C-alpha cells in the first residue's frame, strides 16, 4: 500500500489561563496535503515521438517542418495551453535564412511562480556523422535527437490538461537547434547551434519573463540511456540537478540519472542561463567517454524509431512530473 495518506492534525490547545478565563480551542493544520503525481503514460509519449517522425525530417524551410509545427501548436492548444509562437527569420552560419518557429505553450499563464520545460523540435539538416559519406548532406529523422524530448513534453502537456500543477508551467519547443556547424568544416562556428533558443533568450515572448528554473530535454529516448550531470548545467544550476537527480533516485532511477559529472554540451540551456539568468539544466544522453559523446545513431540517418525506448521515455517523464507536481 504505497498510497500516501494526508493527515490533518487537529491540535486542541486547551488554554487555561487561570480561574475566570474562558477555555479556548485552537485548530492548527500542521501537515501539508500529500501531492498526487499523475502517472506518466510512456506509450502515449512514444506515439508522440512517432507522430513527429512520421512528418519526415523537420528541417527549417521545408514543408514537413511547417506541417509539424502546425501539428505541435494544435496539440498543445488542445491540452488547454495558451500557445504563442515566435515566427522568426534566423541566419544560419551558412548564411542561409531560416524561417523558424519557437512554440511557447503557457499553462496557467496568470501564475507568477513558473517552471520552464523545453526541447528542440527541429531535426538536423545533415547526417554528417553517418558512416556512409554519401549521407553527409542528407537530413535526419531525429527520432531521438529532437523528437524524444518533445514527445515527453507533449505527454506532460496532456497530463497538465487532466490535472493542473500548483505553479504555472511553460513548455517551449525551440527551433533551429540542430543547424550547427557541419562536421566537414575545419572549425566549429561560434554560436552556430541553438539559434531558436538564442533568439528567445534575448527576446522572450513576454517582457521580464521569469521562471524559477528550467529543464531542457534533449536526446532522451535511447534504450540504456545514461544521464550524467552535464557540465554547463552543473556550473549554472547544480541545485536544480540535485533536485531532479534526487527525485529520479527516489523513483528508483539512480542507474539512469547518474550522480556524477559528464562532459559539457553546447545546447539550448546555455543561452537561457547566459542571457536570462534562469538556472536551466540539460537532461541529455551524453557520455564524454564514448566515441562521439552521444551514440552510434547520432547525426546519422539511423536516428529513427528503432532508437526509441518507452522505458527510457518513462523514466524521464516520471521524473519531470514528480518534480513539477511537487513545486509550490
Ligand atoms: C555540439 O555538438 C557542440 N552540441 C550538440 C548539441 C546538440 C546537437 N544536441 C542535439 N544535437
Ligand atoms: Zn543534434
Amino acid at each position: 500500500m504505497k498510497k500516501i495518506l494526508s493527515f490533518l492534525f487537529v491540535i486542541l490547545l486547551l488554554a487555561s489561563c487561570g480561574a475566570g478565563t474562558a477555555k479556548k480551542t485552537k485548530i492548527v493544520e500542521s501537515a501539508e496535503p500529500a501531492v498526487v503525481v499523475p502517472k506518466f503514460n510512456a506509450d502515449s509519449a512514444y506515439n508522440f515521438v512517432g507522430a513527429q517522425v512520421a512528418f519526415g525530417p523537420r528541417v527549417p524551410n521545408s514543408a514537413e517542418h511547417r506541417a509539424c509545427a502546425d501539428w505541435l501548436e494544435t496539440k498543445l492548444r488542445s491540452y488547454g495551453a495558451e500557445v504563442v509562437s515566435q515566427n522568426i527569420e534566423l541566419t544560419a552560419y551558412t548564411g542561409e535564412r531560416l524561417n523558424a518557429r519557437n512554440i511557447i505553450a503557457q499553462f496557467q499563464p496568470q501564475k507568477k511562480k513558473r517552471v520552464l520545460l523545453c526541447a528542440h523540435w527541429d531535426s538536423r539538416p545533415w547526417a554528417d556523422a553517418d558512416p556512409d559519406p554519401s549521407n553527409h548532406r542528407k537530413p535526419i529523422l531525429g527520432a531521438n535527437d529532437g523528437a524524444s524530448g518533445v514527445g515527453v513534453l507533449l505527454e506532460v502537456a496532456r497530463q497538465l490538461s487532466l490535472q493542473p500543477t500548483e505553479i504555472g508551467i511553460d513548455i517551449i519547443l525551440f527551433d533551429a537547434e540542430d543547424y550547427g556547424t557541419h562536421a566537414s568544416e575545419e572549425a566549429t562556428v561560434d554560436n552556430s547551434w541553438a539559434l531558436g533558443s538564442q533568439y528567445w533568450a534575448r527576446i522572450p515572448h513576454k517582457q521580464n519573463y521569469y521562471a524559477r528554473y528550467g529543464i531542457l530535454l534533449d536526446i532522451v529516448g535511447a534504450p540504456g540511456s545514461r544521464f550524467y550531470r552535464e557540465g554547463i548545467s552543473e556550473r549554472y544550476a547544480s541545485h536544480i540537478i540535485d533536485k531532479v537527480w534526487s527525485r529520479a533516485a527516489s523513483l528508483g532511477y539512480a542507474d539512469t540519472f547518474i550522480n556524477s559529472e559528464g562532459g559539457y554540451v553546447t545546447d539550448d540551456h546555455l543561452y537561457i542561463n547566459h542571457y536570462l539568468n534562469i538556472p536551466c539544466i540539460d537532461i541529455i544522453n551524453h557520455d564524454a567517454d564514448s566515441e562521439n559523446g552521444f551514440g552510434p545513431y547520432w547525426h546519422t540517418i539511423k536516428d529513427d524509431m528503432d532508437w526509441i525506448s518507452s522505458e527510457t521515455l518513462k523514466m524521464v517523464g516520471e521524473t519531470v512530473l514528480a518534480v513539477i507536481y511537487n513545486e509550490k
Side-chain angles (χ1 to χ4, degrees), residues 9 13 20 74 86 90 103 107 154 174 208 224 242 308 327:
F9 291 103
L13 280 176
T74 304
Q86 294 182 320
L90 301 171
I103 300 168
F107 290 86
L154 286 174
F174 292 118
N208 304 315
D242 291 341
I308 301 299
E327 210 62 45

Side-chain angles (χ1 to χ4, degrees), residues 60-107:
N61 298 345
S62 68
E64 295 82 0
H65 178 264
R66 279 190 294 280
C68 184
D70 292 344
W71 177 79
L72 290 167
E73 287 176 351
T74 304
K75 221 56 204 159
L76 289 162
R77 279 202 183 99
S78 79
Y79 297 137
E82 195 176 293
V83 179
V84 291
S85 290
Q86 294 182 320
N87 285 288
I88 46 189
E89 196 181 58
L90 301 171
T91 307
Y93 84 93
T94 55
E96 288 165 278
R97 302 291 232 157
L98 308 178
N99 293 303
R101 202 182 311 184
N102 289 329
I103 300 168
I104 299 135
Q106 307 162 90
F107 290 86

Side-chain angles (χ1 to χ4, degrees), residues 175-248:
D175 201 353
E177 188 279 337
D178 236 341
Y179 226 97
T181 320
H182 193 281
S184 67
E185 303 285 348
E186 267 173 39
T188 308
V189 178
D190 280 348
N191 300 316
S192 61
W193 302 87
L195 300 177
S197 57
Q198 289 188 57
Y199 180 92
W200 178 80
R202 285 196 178 98
I203 308 172
H205 60 290
K206 277 188 174 167
Q207 269 194 350
N208 304 315
Y209 175 77
Y210 174 76
R212 279 185 185 166
Y213 60 86
I215 302 174
L216 170 65
L217 306 181
D218 194 9
I219 317 183
V220 293
S225 286
R226 287 197 166 147
F227 307 116
Y228 291 89
R229 301 171 66 104
E230 183 276 328
I232 291 169
S233 313
E234 183 73 30
R235 196 175 114 198
Y236 286 99
S238 63
H239 60 301
I240 306 304
I241 308 187
D242 291 341
K243 182 198 277 279
V244 174
W245 263 240
S246 62
R247 216 28 109 174

Side-chain angles (χ1 to χ4, degrees), residues 125-161:
W126 319 291
D128 52 345
D130 203 276
D132 178 353
S134 73
N135 291 328
H136 285 184
R137 292 282 162 185
K138 292 183 186 158
I140 72 166
L141 281 171
N144 199 12
D145 190 354
S148 63
V150 174
V152 169
L153 293 184
L154 286 174
E155 173 57 11
V156 169
R158 196 179 71 82
Q159 296 295 344
L160 291 172
S161 77

Side-chain angles (χ1 to χ4, degrees), residues 120 124 140 144-146 177-181 188 193-194 218-219 264-268 282 284 286 292 294 298-299:
H120 76 91
R124 185 154 177 78
I140 72 166
N144 199 12
D145 190 354
E177 188 279 337
D178 236 341
Y179 226 97
T181 320
T188 308
W193 302 87
D218 194 9
I219 317 183
Y264 284 75
V265 182
T266 303
D267 209 341
D268 295 312
D282 193 4
I284 185 164
H286 176 260
N292 67 17
F294 298 94
W298 183 71
H299 291 181

